[in-house]
């Protein structure tokens, strides 16, 4: 789900028990390659919702979440940040951390 304002981002985080926020920037080739892979990975985790925001469209997102590099991936459980990954993200490691979080929270 594309998030077009900081209010959308905050609402997305607060209304989903497990939320992955993907923050990208325009022209970021890593972002363009990684987002579809994250979407595919999350197909096997239906309890996790994915939202993404472009830092050029929603500039407040970088300051609010201290996401000064792209991509930045934040995982929230009941509104609290649990996982933070930035720039060079190893998908297998990220998925393992996410699965542990899912198991710990019983979602």
């Amino acid at each position: 789900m594309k998030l077009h304002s900081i209010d959308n981002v905050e609402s997305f985080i607060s209304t989903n028990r497990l939320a992955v926020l993907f923050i990208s920037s325009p022209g970021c080739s890593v972002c363009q390659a990684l987002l579809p892979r994250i979407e595919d990975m999350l197909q096997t985790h239906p309890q996790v919702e994915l939202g993404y925001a472009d830092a050029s469209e929603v500039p407040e997102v970088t300051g609010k979440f201290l996401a000064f590099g792209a991509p930045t991936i934040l995982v929230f459980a009941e509104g609290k940040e649990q996982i933070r990954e930035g720039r060079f993200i190893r998908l297998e490691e990220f998925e393992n951390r996410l699965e542990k979080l899912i198991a710990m929270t019983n979602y």
Side-chain angles (χ1 to χ4, degrees), residues 23 60-69 72 74 81 84:
I23 302 170
E60 304 91 343
V61 77
T62 57
K64 175 146 182 83
F65 298 104
L66 303 175
F68 300 111
T72 298
L74 305 172
E81 183 181 323
R84 174 181 286 261

Side-chain angles (χ1 to χ4, degrees), residues 16 18 41-50 98 102 107:
N16 291 291
L18 279 174
M41 181 192 69
L42 292 179
Q43 293 297 315
T44 61
H45 303 288
Q47 68 276 56
V48 181
E49 295 294 327
L50 173 65
L98 182 61
I102 291 167
Y107 292 149

Side-chain angles (χ1 to χ4, degrees), residues 26 39 41 49 59 85 90-91 96 98 100 107:
E39 290 170 329
M41 181 192 69
E49 295 294 327
E85 294 285 338
R90 293 181 19 194
L91 277 180
N96 288 339
L98 182 61
K100 285 179 185 174
Y107 292 149

Side-chain angles (χ1 to χ4, degrees), residues 25-42:
S25 64
C28 170
S29 60
V30 174
C31 301
Q32 292 171 357
L34 189 60
L35 182 57
R37 295 178 68 195
I38 296 288
E39 290 170 329
D40 288 345
M41 181 192 69
L42 292 179

